[in-house]
């Protein structure tokens, strides 16, 4: 049995599900794109190829091996994108929540069923169909659960709006002892530089009291101010619009002092080192073309 335990984003990682780029399938057509960044690369002919993405994911896996993390991988579905395991489920405390993702992606959950079968069934839940919530929007910070959402009345028109307010209410009811705080995110179907697909595209805690933040990712300045007040402005690394587009806030913590980051994030990586972090730099720029990065490719199961 797997004894799940995840209470924040940065405690020492013991077990994780890492996606896979093997048998990723052909480059999607423009009509099949789920987000504006993928669409941009499909149109430009720069969409990433499988061999490059496999190399990047293996570099990530090697870091996990170095730190003795138990790594699970999804079962392979032929010609199918299975990189972003963060979308399909997430753990809060000792409970595994299956995400209601875009219907086209339900097979991804089947591919990790063998892992879910190792969890106490009483600790596996799935929200009702009208409730949308994806792991990239859910961020744990000890007593807090931060959730990205979109409050616009045109929610249903946005394929980039992945977590609705019903999802926020569901988590609030499931974890009444936690402080659940939602954040209204900026969405765009057409301009990736103005699209916070998930909360981890514009914010993520690192260490025990620091974070990476993109102010313009929040529709309401009050949401940004809430985080500034909680963490302290001096503890937040503010990223630019281009750094948000390159996914600088989507790094991944293996321990309070160890962060896996993209090798080209020079400004961020320098800041992390200046603040006492060990930075494990890996290439991940090809995968980033699909509007997802390191946090998106992982589903943590156990942190101590």
């Amino acid at each position: 049995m797997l004894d799940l335990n995840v209470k924040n984003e940065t405690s020492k990682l013991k077990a994780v599900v890492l996606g896979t780029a093997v048998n990723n399938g052909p480059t999607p057509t423009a009509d099949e794109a789920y987000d504006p960044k993928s669409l941009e690369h499909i149109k430009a002919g720069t969409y990433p190829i499988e061999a490059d993405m496999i190399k990047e994911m293996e570099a990530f896996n090697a870091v996990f091996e170095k730190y003795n993390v138990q790594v699970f991988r999804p079962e392979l579905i032929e010609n199918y994108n299975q990189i972003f395991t963060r979308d399909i489920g997430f753990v809060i405390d000792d409970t595994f929540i299956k995400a209601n993702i875009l219907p086209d992606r339900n097979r991804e959950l089947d591919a990790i069923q063998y892992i879910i079968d190792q969890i106490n069934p009483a600790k596996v839940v799935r929200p009702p169909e009208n409730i949308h919530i994806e792991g990239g929007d859910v961020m744990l910070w000890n007593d807090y659960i931060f959730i990205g959402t979109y409050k616009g009345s045109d929610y249903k028109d946005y394929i980039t709006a992945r977590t609705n307010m019903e999802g926020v209410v569901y988590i609030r009811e499931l974890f009444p002892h936690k402080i659940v705080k939602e954040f209204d995110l900026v969405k765009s179907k057409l301009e990736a530089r103005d699209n916070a697909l998930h909360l981890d595209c514009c914010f993520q805690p690192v260490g025990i009291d620091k974070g990476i933040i993109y102010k313009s990712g929040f529709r309401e300045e009050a949401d940004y101010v809430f985080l500034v007040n909680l963490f302290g402005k001096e503890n937040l690394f503010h990223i630019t619009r281009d750094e948000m587009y390159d996914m600088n806030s989507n790094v991944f913590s293996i321990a309070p002092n160890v962060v896996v980051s993209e090798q080209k994030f020079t400004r961020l990586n320098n800041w992390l080192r200046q603040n006492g972090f060990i930075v494990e730099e890996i290439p991940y720029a090809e995968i980033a073309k699909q509007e997802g990065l390191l946090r998106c490719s992982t589903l943590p199961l156990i942190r101590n």
Side-chain angles (χ1 to χ4, degrees):
M1 290 290 278
L2 281 168
D3 287 322
L4 302 181
N5 183 46
V6 182
K7 290 186 162 54
N8 57 48
E9 298 296 318
T10 65
S11 292
K12 191 169 172 52
L13 185 71
K14 291 290 184 190
V16 68
V17 185
L18 175 65
T20 177
V22 176
N23 218 326
N24 199 251
T27 296
T29 63
D31 291 343
E32 291 169 331
Y34 287 135
D35 64 85
K37 194 167 182 184
S38 294
L39 181 63
E40 198 177 294
H41 287 288
I42 292 165
K43 286 179 170 171
T46 51
Y47 194 80
I49 59 168
E50 183 178 300
D52 291 341
M53 294 193 289
I54 289 172
K55 264 187 230 154
E56 290 184 343
M57 296 207 82
E58 288 320 306
F60 201 179
N61 195 32
V63 178
F64 288 133
E65 282 178 8
K66 176 178 169 181
Y67 287 90
N68 299 315
V69 176
Q70 183 181 10
V71 178
F72 296 92
R73 307 298 287 266
E75 290 173 343
L76 285 184
I77 304 170
E78 227 168 286
N79 293 326
Y80 205 71
N81 186 332
Q82 292 178 271
I83 293 171
F84 300 124
T85 52
R86 179 71 64 159
D87 296 346
I88 59 178
F90 51 94
V91 175
I92 298 178
D93 289 354
D94 61 353
T95 301
F96 187 96
I97 296 134
K98 293 182 172 185
N100 282 336
I101 36 179
L102 301 170
D104 300 356
R105 297 184 59 188
N106 267 327
R107 293 163 69 194
E108 288 177 70
L109 258 173
D110 300 338
I112 63 164
Q113 188 58 45
Y114 82 96
I115 305 163
I116 297 169
D117 289 341
Q118 298 174 52
I119 300 165
N120 173 356
K123 292 292 182 184
V124 179
V125 299
R126 186 159 200 182
E129 256 177 59
N130 64 318
I131 288 171
H132 300 171
I133 188 153
E134 290 190 1
D137 277 323
V138 179
M139 211 161 270
L140 308 184
W141 197 241
N142 307 316
D143 295 337
Y144 288 91
I145 303 175
F146 302 139
I147 303 181
T149 184
Y150 177 66
K151 295 181 182 177
S153 56
D154 54 352
Y155 176 94
K156 64 181 188 310
D157 301 332
Y158 277 81
I159 197 168
T160 55
R162 298 295 176 78
T163 297
N164 58 14
M165 275 306 292
E166 288 84 347
V168 176
V169 171
Y170 176 80
I171 296 296
R172 200 167 267 144
E173 289 171 355
L174 209 54
F175 298 95
H177 58 292
K178 297 269 191 182
I179 303 161
V180 177
K181 163 70 179 153
E182 81 275 6
F183 298 88
D184 196 10
L185 303 180
V186 170
K187 303 286 178 179
S188 171
K189 289 179 281 194
L190 300 172
E191 175 49 81
R193 283 170 183 78
D194 299 319
N195 181 47
L197 188 65
H198 291 119
L199 179 58
D200 59 17
C201 296
C202 56
F203 172 71
Q204 191 179 178
V206 286
I208 52 169
D209 62 354
K210 292 185 170 47
I212 304 161
I213 196 163
Y214 176 59
K215 184 180 178 182
S216 301
F218 301 94
R219 289 206 327 157
E220 297 291 334
E221 189 165 354
D223 285 350
Y224 160 76
V225 170
F226 172 88
L227 290 168
V228 170
N229 289 339
L230 187 63
F231 283 80
K233 195 156 195 178
E234 69 286 355
N235 288 321
L236 291 171
F237 181 80
H238 283 70
I239 58 176
T240 65
R241 185 168 177 251
D242 281 341
E243 285 171 334
M244 190 280 275
Y245 172 76
D246 290 334
M247 319 261 350
N248 275 236
S249 60
N250 206 276
V251 294
F252 185 70
S253 294
I254 290 188
N257 64 332
V258 182
V259 178
V260 189
S261 181
E262 216 290 325
Q263 59 191 15
K264 295 194 179 102
F265 293 171
T266 313
R267 202 172 75 88
L268 171 66
N269 296 344
N270 287 342
W271 178 82
L272 288 167
R273 289 195 183 94
Q274 284 159 11
N275 281 282
F277 291 92
I278 295 163
V279 183
E280 294 285 351
E281 294 189 9
I282 61 170
Y284 227 67
E286 291 303 304
I287 285 170
K289 292 175 178 178
Q290 300 177 78
E291 204 151 349
L293 204 78
L294 298 155
R295 187 178 187 270
C296 297
S297 321
T298 58
L299 197 177
L301 300 171
I302 304 168
R303 289 187 184 269
N304 281 1

